[in-house]
Amino acid sequence: AAVPNDPADPMAYPRAAQAAELSISAVRGFNRGLRSIYFALAALCWLLGALPLMVGTVLVGLTLARREFASHSRAAILRGLH
């Protein structure tokens, strides 16, 4: 449940790796859920007609592109790589 704070502890790095894998898995599921909600909202626009469906789909695409490529999180990660 917790990663040992002492780096000399032989279980520190294996536990940290397990915690990282758990976190990655949880985030993937969360992002997939958000994407499905976004596209469900776009599909809901279909009830209003074809044009609202197209507009909703474009807005969802732009929202996802911003979240993927123009987010503060991505910028922070890229700053750390340079």
Side-chain angles (χ1 to χ4, degrees):
V3 177
N5 288 331
D6 182 14
D9 188 324
M11 290 305 295
Y13 289 103
R15 289 279 188 232
Q18 287 175 330
E21 285 296 319
L22 182 64
S23 179
I24 289 167
S25 177
V27 167
R28 277 193 187 126
F30 180 76
N31 280 334
R32 286 181 185 144
L34 279 180
R35 285 186 188 112
S36 65
I37 289 171
Y38 292 152
F39 280 109
L41 290 173
L44 187 62
C45 292
W46 194 5
L47 296 174
L48 303 175
L51 185 61
L53 171 62
M54 289 186 277
V55 170
T57 303
V58 168
L59 288 174
V60 166
L62 292 172
T63 300
L64 291 176
R66 190 204 61 77
R67 286 190 69 225
E68 293 287 331
F69 303 111
S71 68
H72 294 293
S73 302
R74 183 174 189 267
I77 290 170
L78 290 177
R79 272 194 307 270
L81 296 177
H82 297 287

